[in-house]
Amino acid sequence: MEQIEVQRYPLMGSNMQYDMSTRSFVERQQPPKMDMTLEKVLNLMTDPHSKKVKERHSRAVKKICEKYCNGFYLKDLGIVYNIIDALVANAKEDAEYTNALVQIVMLCGKSFLKEKASDDLVYEKDFSEFLVQLVKLVELPMPMVQIAVTHCIGGLYCTPVPVYSEGPQACRHELNIKAIEESNVVEIFGGELKKMEDETVYQEILHLLLFLSLSSSNCDSLLDMDLVDVVAKNMAGACASQNSKLLQLSIEVLWNIIEYGSADKVPYRFETMSVVRSLFSTFSHFIQTAKTKQDLQLRNDVMSVTQALVSHCPKAPLLECGFIKILSLVATYSEVKSEDEMIEGFTMKAQNDDFELKKLVWSTLVSLCESDALRQVMIDHGFLTALFEYVKPNDSVCSVEWTSAQYEELQLQALSSLETLCPLCLNEYMSGHGNTRLIMLLEWAYSECKSPDLITNTQDTTHLHASQPGDYGGHGNSFYGDGGYQTRRAQLRFTIRVLLAVVRTGEENVLQDLCDQGLIDALKVVLKKYKGSDVPIELGILSNALLILAVLCENDSHRKGMFGDEGVELLLQFLSGDSDKFSSGLGYHKLLLSSVNAIWCCVSIVNQDLFLERGGIPILLDLLEKCPPSMQNLVLGALLDLTEDARAVPHVVTWRGKGQKTAVSLLIELWRAEEHAMGVKRDSNHVMTGNVLKWR
């Protein structure tokens, strides 16, 4: 049966019309769509006849955001703000306009576009005023709008300017930063932060201030507003609510303000009792409760802020609020046991966070030890005793708290701390047998390491154990261990530096005790071991060893005798070095200066005969001829003292330098060079004329 095709007629609609020529229905041709412009949107928003067509308003804003998806033009700043102003007015009456307002504000967070290359300069002032008006929206009681404003300013300040393959380009990122920093944008956010009750919005504003506080000018604005006290108090309050995000933001903002704020403004705000108490309360909370990785890191961040506070605000009331006490208890926890309630629940393990905390606390306390009151609190809680626990040979140590590498770092930092602390508390140093401890460590440090390949992995996690003497080699980690890998040079360097700091106090009972325990002989062994070295750390060890010997022997003929012929021989070897190494940067010039100083202090009637016999005078004259001008006065002083002995004069007379130069000729050359440096003028008869204008 033949099928009959049934013609289906389309449903009539607004988009269909009947075409008489073709006798069929065709799609109606739509009129061309009108381009949506900012002016049309503004007219739509402000037209009183379209006041109730909210959906049209929302669609218009959406179309504008799609059209200007890369950002608005700088030339349209005024129109854009008028649209925002109209949306704000409508949003106050109808909350449905809030989303449209948020869309426009968020789009303002993209760098504005320019039609001409000069737009950056032409609209610079207008852009700053626009941002100020935009930021004032944060004062509206609309959390979504407040958050959008913070994201907008954050995007302008932090996001790099994109480069488009075609079309108009964005304005320079420097324009965004300059407009924000030179206007009162930071003050508006800071003022709102003070009275903000919504915790979410508070965190968003604080997050923005974290980035804005990387600028010194913004930090000064925050300091002028006294925002530090508000942030510190809210940080302490966040401990009770366990809001880790708020704690982290508060800590980092305070840290930035301390680091980047003006040196004259930071102490004024941070040395207040309220700020220090807030830091103390937060630190105490974490000391007693921190168990998780996040809490331990926050605890260390608070300690870092405290360290920065101490370095910038030396008059902060740390003693009055008990901060020094808890720091001393934490610093001595592993070495001096305490049951004080301030550290109840605190534990310290061989994990990186606890290890970093201990180093931070030590360095902070050492920076405060110049104060007599603070230093006494440290001593009363065993800080010096705790440091002395690390002044012992490493291969005889059994530690259950720290790994081998961690123990070495702590040992070297302890020695560095003692270098500062010991001269300030000699009585406690002597009662703790400091001299004996240091000399024992010195003798161990200069002895040979029998197994240099013992430690091959600097990340070793095994704990220290009592091992055979002589099998220890350093890990060389951290700043303090530089140059000490698989050797004991790092321990030797810091031990000698502590001894130098102690002997420079000039206390005769301390000096005599060191000599009685054989320090002079031990230092001569060090000089003999490293003579002829070109390694910077070893040259530093030699220089400091000679300085110690000079202090010990300067006013005591018996000690000069202990220095002996062997010491004189070593001095002559140091003075006979290659003159080309003076400016090598390795520290050889320091060794020469220390050697010349040792001649003054260690060579006397007892051993001067050997010095002259071995050619000491010609060696000094050779050095005088080659050394830089800054060293000549020291060498001349040593020669002057030696020539008081009539036996030294023939050595001076018979000396010959380059080109058979005599000592007299050399001295005349030095005289003329000094006159030239001083600006002395002479006439044809070699008579001085005029005034000496410059002295060296």
Side-chain angles (χ1 to χ4, degrees), residues 80-95:
V80 171
Y81 184 74
N82 289 335
I83 294 174
I84 292 175
D85 198 31
L87 287 170
V88 169
N90 292 333
K92 289 180 179 179
E93 298 178 0
D94 192 336

Side-chain angles (χ1 to χ4, degrees), residues 105-139:
V105 171
M106 291 296 291
L107 188 55
C108 291
K110 292 188 175 182
S111 293
F112 280 66
L113 304 177
K114 53 186 178 181
E115 287 185 334
K116 301 177 182 179
S118 59
D119 283 358
D120 285 344
L121 298 176
V122 173
Y123 296 101
E124 181 178 342
K125 183 177 179 181
D126 295 339
F127 186 53
S128 297
E129 294 175 354
F130 171 81
L131 288 183
V132 172
Q133 297 301 321
L134 182 66
V135 171
K136 286 184 178 180
L137 298 180
V138 78
E139 299 173 357

Side-chain angles (χ1 to χ4, degrees), residues 21-192:
S21 61
T22 60
R23 297 178 179 274
S24 62
F25 289 93
V26 296
E27 186 175 357
R28 187 189 304 272
Q29 292 183 357
Q30 299 291 337
K33 294 182 179 180
M34 299 182 63
D35 185 26
M36 184 63 68
T37 63
L38 292 174
E39 290 81 1
K40 292 179 180 179
V41 174
L42 179 60
N43 292 333
L44 180 65
M45 293 288 182
T46 56
D47 189 352
H49 299 290
S50 64
K51 187 175 182 180
K52 296 183 179 181
V53 287
K54 294 181 290 184
E55 293 183 359
R56 286 186 61 190
H57 292 170
S58 298
R59 287 198 301 269
V61 171
K62 183 178 180 180
K63 290 180 180 179
I64 283 295
C65 292
E66 291 175 353
K67 179 180 179 180
Y68 295 94
C69 60
N70 291 336
F72 296 113
Y73 286 90
L74 284 171
K75 67 182 182 65
D76 296 329
L77 286 171
I79 300 176
V80 171
Y81 184 74
N82 289 335
I83 294 174
I84 292 175
D85 198 31
L87 287 170
V88 169
N90 292 333
K92 289 180 179 179
E93 298 178 0
D94 192 336
E96 293 185 12
Y97 281 93
T98 303
N99 289 333
L101 177 59
V102 169
Q103 290 179 32
I104 292 287
V105 171
M106 291 296 291
L107 188 55
C108 291
K110 292 188 175 182
S111 293
F112 280 66
L113 304 177
K114 53 186 178 181
E115 287 185 334
K116 301 177 182 179
S118 59
D119 283 358
D120 285 344
L121 298 176
V122 173
Y123 296 101
E124 181 178 342
K125 183 177 179 181
D126 295 339
F127 186 53
S128 297
E129 294 175 354
F130 171 81
L131 288 183
V132 172
Q133 297 301 321
L134 182 66
V135 171
K136 286 184 178 180
L137 298 180
V138 78
E139 299 173 357
L140 297 174
M142 304 175 186
M144 289 179 60
V145 177
Q146 293 170 326
I147 294 174
V149 172
T150 60
H151 288 183
C152 168
I153 299 301
L156 290 173
Y157 193 81
C158 303
T159 306
V161 172
V163 178
Y164 302 111
S165 57
E166 57 182 12
Q169 296 297 315
C171 63
R172 294 178 297 109
H173 191 210
E174 291 77 11
L175 175 66
N176 299 339
I177 296 175
K178 184 178 180 181
I180 293 172
E181 292 184 354
E182 294 186 358
S183 61
N184 62 338
V185 167
V186 176
E187 288 88 339
I188 296 174
F189 279 116
E192 193 62 27

